Amino acid sequence: MTQTESLNTEASQTSVNNSQNNPFKGLFSNLRGDLTGGLTAAVVALPLALAFAVASGVEPKAGLYTAIIAGIVAAVFGGSPVQITGPTGAMAVVLVGIVAKYGIEKVWIAGVMAGIIQIALGVAKLGRLVKFIPYPVTAGFTNGIAVIIFCGQLNNFLGLHLPNQEHFLQSLWQTATNLEGYNWFAIAVALLTIGTKLLWNQVNRSVPGSLVALIVATVVAVIAKSQWNLEVPTIGVIPQSLPMPQTIGHWTDFRLIRELINPAIALAALGSIESLLSAVVADGMSVSDRHNSDRELIGQGIANMIVPFFGGIPATGAIARTAVNVRAGGKTRLSGVIHGVALALIVLAFAPLASQVPLAALAGILMITSIRMMEWKAISLLIHTTYADFGVMMLTWLVTVCFDLVLAVEVGLIAAGVLFIKRMSELSLVKMPEEMVFPAGVPLDFGKKIAIYRIDGPMFFGAAERFVSFLRDAPEVKFLILRMRYVPSMDTTGLVALEEIYHDLQRHNCQLILSALRPEVEQLLERSGLLKEIGYANCFNSTEDAIRKIMPNLNETATLSLGEIV
């Protein structure tokens, strides 16, 4: 590298470091784009904040307060310059059960605890671990969330007045057994909302279809009530003021803390995963600075610690609203602040009108949102590629629907991990074809006494079982050469697997020969004592040298042919 290139690289790295250390650098460098992005995101967030609050089993105003407070705090302290934070469908799925079981005041305490956990995760620099969640697992729990949101809105869609249940399946059964109380007008309003939203998106994309549909449905409901006395449940009164700080809970009650630790962990895990996935999606859409995963966790944690003191609920980074912000021109964290301020102004100006919004209209919006949340592309891809990955997705999906999201992620990761180990065990061993290994003129019976395997990548314990099966099927093999040039490293699991292979070969009167060992692998085998047990005389620099040891009378032609496999 030349001196100029070195200086340029150093300057580039310094710029990146300065950008990460100073989140406010260049805050007003894209004022027009951030203003457009923030205002557009606020318009999109308004109906969703109301809808997700209702879906969470809390008052609609809690959704607005969450979008305002969490949106501003996470934008200032978070690690993504374009992330929009607020209530989301995934969090609503978890919250509705917690609210039904514990009540809103305990949810506030659990939210503060979740924020503390998120900050601890960020300080411990665990943010990057989200990158290791396999695609089938994320697709599975996203699809599960979509199903729960859709079915969870059936009560509002049908105009039923039923209490929230702790679990999704309980709520679904309650709805199915109370269908005689449905409200035809509520159904009509919901269908009108869905139709308006779908049609408007075909006509004009500059104004969000969900907002237009909400306004149309509200106007129709108000007119129908005044003209024909048709009633439909509405969201109720929203104060025309901003929330003031409040005290929550009894923090000295350790029994309460122990009671809420599991819900807090669930909220922290889900909030962290969804926020970081949203930040990754934003990175792919934006040309601005890439997000800092650890700082994003800290920012989300601070937001979730503060929001409960203003009557809000736990929040996460919202993928759809973040995407809207980026597409509309948002490039810095100022866009997220503008989004929160704009929502606050809307509450101050139009809160009385919001009290007339029908719950059925919010149900229609959430149903469309849930259908669009479904990973249809992932389902098609996995069906047409690997059935094992499709099985992992379906297992995660099923556990999400029947149990909860955190357990679904855990089960999905375990299933994906087992599948990964199985695949690596199968793909890391390649038997070298005889025509590549042995030159013309070698007796066929002699060739059958030698087997050569190339190991590509890491060695897993599943490899030992493969050799045992191979020796049962080919008892005439007396020499097994393992070509390990492409094994960059080996851990204890690989070491134990190689030791099992060696002992199995001994029991079958077959000699193990190693070739082309990397220095790191050779040092590990030396320290463990396994290299001495196998025998230094059975280790060679190349596969050709190993075969020369076995076949000392190779001619010159054979030497040239063997050179191709070294």
Side-chain angles (χ1 to χ4, degrees):
M1 180 181 293
T2 65
Q3 184 177 3
T4 302
E5 291 172 334
S6 177
L7 291 173
N8 289 339
T9 302
E10 183 178 352
S12 176
Q13 185 64 42
T14 302
S15 175
V16 172
N17 292 336
N18 290 339
S19 176
Q20 291 180 346
N21 294 329
N22 181 12
F24 303 104
K25 182 180 180 181
L27 189 63
F28 297 100
S29 60
N30 185 53
L31 182 58
R32 176 177 294 182
D34 289 336
L35 183 63
T36 304
L39 292 176
T40 306
V43 173
V44 172
L46 176 64
L48 294 178
L50 295 171
F52 287 134
V54 173
S56 301
V58 299
E59 296 182 22
K61 65 179 182 180
L64 290 175
Y65 295 164
T66 302
I68 294 170
I69 303 299
I72 294 174
V73 173
V76 173
F77 296 103
S80 173
V82 293
Q83 180 93 287
I84 300 296
T85 299
T88 64
M91 191 61 82
V93 169
V94 175
L95 281 173
V96 66
I98 299 176
V99 171
K101 183 176 181 179
Y102 297 101
I104 184 60
E105 290 188 2
K106 290 185 177 180
V107 169
W108 288 335
I109 297 175
V112 175
M113 294 169 61
I116 295 173
I117 294 173
Q118 286 182 292
I119 293 174
L121 292 174
V123 172
K125 298 188 180 301
L126 298 178
R128 67 199 68 182
L129 293 181
V130 73
K131 299 176 182 178
F132 297 101
I133 299 179
Y135 181 64
V137 175
T138 59
F141 82 74
T142 301
N143 289 339
I145 290 169
V147 171
I148 294 174
I149 291 175
F150 185 92
C151 296
Q153 292 306 305
L154 289 176
N155 286 344
N156 291 332
F157 181 89
L158 298 171
L160 299 175
H161 295 273
L162 299 173
N164 290 321
Q165 297 296 318
E166 182 179 342
H167 195 273
F168 152 73
L169 294 178
Q170 294 175 330
S171 178
L172 191 61
W173 174 254
Q174 183 186 51
T175 302
T177 54
N178 289 275
L179 291 177
E180 67 277 0
Y182 63 85
N183 184 329
W184 276 111
F185 184 54
I187 296 174
V189 169
L191 292 176
L192 174 65
T193 304
I194 294 172
T196 303
K197 179 174 171 60
L198 294 177
L199 290 175
W200 183 262
N201 288 340
Q202 302 299 321
V203 175
N204 188 328
R205 291 184 177 274
S206 59
V207 179
S210 57
L211 181 63
V212 174
L214 195 67
I215 294 173
V216 170
T218 302
V219 171
V220 170
V222 170
I223 294 175
K225 181 179 181 179
S226 62
Q227 297 294 325
W228 303 291
N229 200 29
L230 293 176
E231 295 284 346
V232 61
T234 61
I235 66 175
V237 177
I238 295 179
Q240 195 173 5
S241 62
L242 297 179
M244 300 301 294
Q246 61 183 12
T247 59
I248 57 173
H250 303 283
W251 293 98
T252 57
D253 188 351
F254 291 103
R255 288 179 301 177
L256 179 62
I257 301 300
R258 287 197 300 269
E259 180 186 6
L260 295 177
I261 187 63
N262 287 336
I265 291 174
L267 293 172
L270 179 61
S272 301
I273 292 172
E274 188 173 15
S275 296
L276 293 179
L277 288 177
S278 175
V280 170
V281 172
D283 285 350
M285 299 177 59
S286 173
V287 296
S288 60
D289 295 335
R290 293 294 183 255
H291 81 281
N292 182 314
S293 298
D294 300 321
R295 180 171 289 157
E296 181 63 21
L297 286 181
I298 294 173
Q300 293 291 333
I302 294 173
N304 282 328
M305 282 185 62
I306 294 176
V307 158
F309 292 97
F310 291 87
I313 55 178
T316 74
I319 296 177
R321 276 157 275 177
T322 299
V324 167
N325 178 36
V326 175
R327 292 194 185 105
K331 292 184 179 180
T332 75
R333 58 189 69 248
L334 181 62
S335 60
V337 175
I338 292 174
H339 148 267
V341 172
L343 281 175
L345 295 176
I346 291 173
V347 169
L348 292 175
F350 302 106
L353 299 178
S355 63
Q356 302 298 320
V357 174
L359 290 176
L362 296 180
I365 292 173
L366 286 181
M367 285 180 166
I368 292 294
T369 301
S370 64
I371 292 174
R372 290 177 174 173
M373 280 180 65
M374 289 286 291
E375 296 278 1
W376 301 108
K377 183 179 179 181
I379 296 173
S380 175
L381 175 66
L382 294 174
I383 287 178
H384 291 92
T385 52
T386 56
Y387 291 116
D389 284 336
F390 180 73
V392 171
M393 182 191 72
M394 292 303 299
L395 177 62
T396 308
W397 192 343
L398 183 64
V399 176
T400 301
V401 172
C402 296
F403 298 95
D404 62 69
L405 294 176
V406 176
L407 180 62
V409 173
E410 293 172 352
V411 171
L413 287 175
I414 292 172
V418 172
L419 180 62
F420 171 76
I421 292 174
K422 180 178 181 296
R423 284 173 172 167
M424 291 302 296
S425 298
E426 293 174 350
L427 297 178
S428 61
L429 301 169
V430 180
K431 189 176 187 300
M432 303 295 291
E434 292 183 3
E435 59 270 16
M436 289 183 61
V437 175
F438 303 113
V442 174
L444 183 61
D445 58 342
F446 192 92
K448 289 184 177 180
K449 294 181 181 181
I450 304 176
I452 301 179
Y453 276 81
R454 187 183 76 238
I455 302 179
D456 297 333
M459 252 182 97
F460 285 84
F461 55 80
E465 179 59 31
R466 289 196 63 196
F467 280 116
V468 173
S469 302
F470 160 73
L471 290 170
R472 292 195 195 104
D473 299 334
E476 68 276 10
V477 172
K478 299 303 178 185
F479 299 94
L480 175 64
I481 301 176
L482 293 185
R483 185 184 181 210
M484 303 180 68
R485 185 183 300 277
Y486 301 110
V487 180
S489 61
M490 182 183 294
D491 59 6
T492 305
T493 302
L495 186 67
V496 171
L498 185 60
E499 186 176 12
E500 290 180 6
I501 292 170
Y502 171 70
H503 291 307
D504 286 332
L505 293 176
Q506 277 193 320
R507 286 191 288 270
H508 288 80
N509 296 318
C510 183
Q511 184 176 341
L512 176 63
I513 297 175
L514 305 178
S515 74
L517 286 172
R518 292 284 187 93
E520 298 85 354
V521 177
E522 186 174 0
Q523 290 172 10
L524 177 64
L525 296 178
E526 177 72 38
R527 291 196 302 269
S528 67
L530 182 57
L531 192 60
K532 182 178 180 180
E533 189 176 358
I534 294 173
Y536 296 103
N538 294 319
C539 299
F540 298 89
N541 292 328
S542 67
T543 308
E544 180 182 354
D545 291 341
I547 296 179
R548 279 204 180 108
K549 170 73 174 179
I550 302 170
M551 303 170 61
N553 296 322
L554 285 176
N555 56 30
E556 183 66 15
T557 304
T559 301
L560 292 174
S561 299
L562 287 167
E564 299 176 1
I565 68 168
V566 177

